[in-house]
Amino acid sequence: MIEGKPYIEKCGIVILAAGRSARLGQAKQMLPYGGQTLLLHSVEVAVCTGFSPIIVVLGANRVEIERSLSAVAATKVINDEWEEGMASSIRCGIGELKRQSPQTDGVIVMVCDQPFINEGILKNLLLVQRNTGKAVVASRYENVNGTPVLFHRSLFDELMQLKGDKGAGKFLEQHSELVATVAFSEGKTDIDTIEDYEHIK
């Protein structure tokens, strides 16, 4: 702990899985990957960290996707404003986190289409936060800061003001002085098109 700096004792996880996957033409959350779905892989990685609570934000295709998660130890919350874009899911997820576990002092925001995400990356975000005292720890790949990204609770209210489809990207750019990073070169791989999916298979 660094005196006078943010320190995250209890960390939750919000997984953003509300999008329609328009470019892919089908629900990316349900794509088979490693003997399960892409979303279930992300949820199980989150569960393995031991962090709590774990909140999965759903929107498009919610019935089918929620059914696929019936056996996992995570809270499913519906974002009725999912068509606005990623920011609405961040608001929805953090709002639920604050209601369910007000004592939680940090959150990792994940997306559901980074197939190479693993438990070690998520745990490392928290380790770096505790070692640096930074309010944000982002994954670093291809010279940009991105998901998964860890936020201290002092930023929750500002995150609740995000709008549109840019998620937290603009926030990270505007607050670079608050950000530490963790190298995650494979984080550049995500699934937006069928070609992306064929490549990771």
Side-chain angles (χ1 to χ4, degrees):
M1 181 183 299
I2 302 175
E3 183 130 7
K5 297 284 190 178
Y7 183 86
I8 296 175
E9 185 67 42
K10 178 173 171 52
C11 185
I13 298 178
V14 168
I15 302 174
L16 309 179
R20 188 178 57 196
S21 315
R23 291 171 59 194
L24 185 68
Q26 57 185 299
K28 70 173 70 175
Q29 300 92 326
M30 298 298 292
L31 288 174
Y33 178 74
Q36 55 193 347
T37 67
L38 199 58
L39 175 56
L40 189 55
H41 166 69
S42 298
V43 174
E44 290 190 349
V45 166
V47 169
C48 284
T49 64
F51 299 165
S52 177
I54 296 169
I55 295 165
V56 185
V57 182
L58 303 177
N61 307 299
R62 68 186 69 173
V63 174
E64 175 190 14
I65 296 169
E66 188 170 16
R67 191 182 304 122
S68 75
L69 298 176
S70 59
V72 301
T75 298
K76 279 75 75 175
V77 60
I78 304 302
N79 172 19
D80 291 323
E81 301 177 330
W82 63 268
E83 290 182 87
E84 176 193 327
M86 193 177 290
S88 66
S89 289
I90 292 174
R91 297 195 307 268
C92 182
I94 291 179
E96 178 63 24
L97 178 81
K98 291 168 69 176
R99 284 189 293 273
Q100 183 180 137
S101 183
Q103 73 276 25
T104 298
D105 47 17
V107 64
I108 293 172
V109 176
M110 296 173 56
V111 291
C112 66
D113 65 341
Q114 288 178 304
F116 300 116
I117 191 64
N118 61 70
E119 173 189 351
I121 291 292
L122 302 182
K123 287 185 171 180
N124 205 20
L125 292 172
L126 183 57
L127 179 64
V128 169
Q129 194 288 316
R130 290 172 171 175
N131 288 341
T132 63
K134 290 288 191 178
V136 184
V137 185
S139 300
R140 182 80 176 170
Y141 39 85
E142 290 196 325
N143 298 315
V144 298
N145 296 334
T147 55
V149 55
L150 171 65
F151 297 99
H152 183 260
R153 67 179 301 158
S154 60
L155 300 173
F156 284 4
D157 287 347
E158 194 167 349
L159 291 170
M160 292 293 289
Q161 303 304 313
L162 291 175
K163 303 287 185 186
D165 195 36
K166 296 301 182 184
K170 189 174 181 181
F171 180 95
L172 296 178
E173 292 175 7
Q174 292 175 337
H175 298 282
S176 58
E177 75 283 358
L178 302 178
V179 181
T181 61
V182 167
F184 178 31
S185 60
E186 291 175 316
K188 66 185 179 183
T189 302
D190 60 11
I191 313 299
D192 288 323
T193 66
I194 197 66
E195 289 78 17
D196 294 337
Y197 179 54
E198 293 296 333
H199 180 69
I200 68 149
K201 285 202 300 182

